[in-house]
Amino acid sequence: MLAAVMVVEGVLRIPGTEGHFDTGWGLYQSLAKNSRLHLLSHIWTEQDIALWLTKRRITGHQSYLHTPEPGPAGRLEALQRIRSQRIGALVIESDPACAAAELAAGWNTALITSALQGPRQPTTGPPAIRPWDDLSDAVERQHDLRLTPHSPERP
């Protein structure tokens, strides 16, 4: 049976709010039924997350991992606790930097992103998300610049 570790912030819970992502909730329900699901958070203690999950009637996960340190180092420390139990797992992640560190450490990782569109968008939070076409154009421009020979006059 597949084991999965779902990061709460950005996958299941909308960061900085009490709200949840519908997509994350659906993913949670599917994984709870068909895998050994573990939750991971650096923000909430076990009691805090238990209350939040109970209010939403979200049940079915195997365990909850709290890491006091945010970012890749904290995630890897918590995942090492899972690995020490001889559990190999798919990590469902919302932070690209953490996903890169997890991949480098040998974890299978699924990166979930959200546009935070619609009425659930927090009034304060991360800067606006750039449209995909803008990102693609920027990557193409950088690629073209790398292929263009530089003349001595050009910086």
Side-chain angles (χ1 to χ4, degrees), residues 17-73:
T17 73
E18 288 283 319
H20 69 274
F21 288 110
D22 291 337
T23 303
W25 187 87
L27 185 58
Y28 176 98
Q29 295 299 322
S30 295
L31 289 170
K33 290 177 186 172
N34 299 304
S35 71
R36 293 176 310 219
L37 179 61
H38 305 271
L39 298 179
L40 186 147
S41 173
H42 71 275
I43 295 179
W44 287 356
T45 65
E46 192 166 352
Q47 294 85 5
D48 294 334
I49 195 72
L51 179 62
W52 187 81
L53 292 168
T54 301
K55 286 180 183 177
R56 285 156 185 77
R57 296 186 178 125
I58 299 175
T59 60
H61 59 282
Q62 300 286 313
S63 69
Y64 174 73
L65 301 164
H66 175 74
T67 177
E69 185 179 342

Side-chain angles (χ1 to χ4, degrees), residues 122-141:
T123 55
T124 60
I129 297 171
R130 290 177 63 185
W132 184 257
D133 289 342
D134 290 352
L135 294 172
S136 297
D137 291 344
V139 169
E140 285 180 31
R141 280 193 303 275

